[in-house]
Amino acid sequence: MREEERVEMVRTQVEGRDIDDPAVLAAMRKVERHLFIPDSRRKEAYADRPLPIGSDQTISQPYIVAYMTELLRLTKSKSVLEIGTGSGYQTAILAELAEKVFTVEYIASLSGEAREILDKLNYRNIAYRVGDGYAGWPEFAPFDAIIVTCAPDDIPDTLIGQLAEGGRMVIPMGAGSYQELMLIEKKPGGKVVIRDLIGVRFVPMVHS
Ligand code: SAH
């Protein structure tokens, strides 16, 4: 039943819009989104909207997860840094597509719960860190891709610094409850190109 809901979610909400990367679609069909959602909201797991996951945080709408993931152009030889582990759902999608995922979460309990589910699902290519995403994860930089799922007022220079040449970063940016989703490309040679894509709604990226 849930598998049918998931296939339908991908067909109508993801493929039915503008996502056509076969690997992204396959990952979205495979990862059991309902496992990342608290019991009280599980019935809504495949709905076309974000949902609360506790600690005042939310799991993003499926379409937004797909859209941001597709922009990263991940392949099995790439590393990706994620800021904002949250429920761990986006982390699982990344782990399906990349060689290695480094995920940073500010709230220890959320990181722990996400890790528990992802360990149970047997993901072995994810490294977890509890800490402040503004610092990135310097020990493992540079990353081929960076995805930020909370919104800073400004693009953190540290994260641009940890992006590999030829790498791509997606990040919602702006103060207040609406932001712009930005795509940042670091070209070979180091030139940084920034594009403003769509309006989005994320929780703020908190300062420690
Ligand atoms: N990708 C997540 C979305 C979680 S919401 C999912 O699919 O569920 C955003 C997350 O960013 C929250 O869990 C929040 O605690 C975290 N966050 C906010 N500010 C942060 C910071 N400075 N560093 C790391 N994580 C942060």
Side-chain angles (χ1 to χ4, degrees):
M1 192 302 223
R2 272 174 174 146
E3 167 141 34
E4 275 166 36
E5 278 183 82
R6 207 156 47 247
V7 168
E8 189 61 10
M9 169 191 89
V10 173
R11 196 177 65 76
T12 59
Q13 301 174 33
V14 181
E15 217 172 0
R17 294 189 177 129
D18 53 356
I19 309 299
D20 55 16
D21 181 331
V24 173
L25 296 172
M28 301 273 306
R29 281 190 206 102
K30 178 172 172 193
V31 177
E32 299 183 283
R33 182 171 162 93
H34 63 273
L35 300 179
F36 297 86
I37 291 179
D39 288 345
S40 59
R41 302 301 287 260
R42 226 165 235 192
K43 289 196 304 296
E44 298 159 80
Y46 296 99
D48 194 10
R49 57 173 180 275
L51 290 170
I53 54 168
S55 306
D56 283 333
Q57 305 302 326
T58 54
I59 178 171
S60 302
Q61 178 191 10
Y63 172 73
I64 292 294
V65 172
Y67 182 72
M68 292 174 79
T69 305
E70 184 174 63
L71 286 168
L72 298 175
R73 299 202 184 143
L74 297 173
T75 61
K76 274 294 174 194
S77 62
K78 303 236 165 132
S79 65
V80 55
L81 173 69
E82 176 188 45
I83 306 299
T85 314
S87 68
Y89 174 70
Q90 170 81 70
T91 320
I93 299 288
L94 299 173
E96 290 287 337
L97 299 167
E99 181 177 32
K100 182 89 191 174
V101 183
F102 298 86
T103 186
V104 181
E105 168 59 50
Y106 194 71
I107 302 177
S109 58
L110 287 178
S111 175
E113 286 161 34
R115 184 179 192 149
E116 202 175 303
I117 302 168
L118 293 162
D119 280 351
K120 228 181 262 172
L121 294 175
N122 253 319
Y123 287 103
R124 296 285 173 257
N125 59 339
I126 304 171
Y128 304 83
R129 176 179 187 166
V130 174
D132 186 353
Y134 285 99
W137 199 334
E139 292 83 352
F140 295 103
F143 303 96
D144 299 310
I146 299 180
I147 178 169
V148 183
T149 64
C150 43
D153 302 349
D154 217 335
I155 300 167
D157 285 339
T158 343
L159 296 184
I160 294 182
Q162 292 180 18
L163 189 62
E165 287 186 16
R168 294 162 76 88
M169 167 155 100
V170 278
I171 179 168
M173 196 202 78
S177 43
Y178 292 90
Q179 305 96 25
E180 292 295 317
L181 190 68
M182 317 294 275
L183 172 66
I184 298 162
E185 292 176 83
K186 193 184 268 187
K187 303 288 185 191
K191 184 167 177 261
V192 173
V193 179
I194 303 181
R195 266 191 290 161
D196 181 335
L197 300 174
I198 54 170
V200 287
R201 256 194 113 160
F202 279 86
V203 299
M205 183 163 172
V206 296
H207 280 281
S208 46

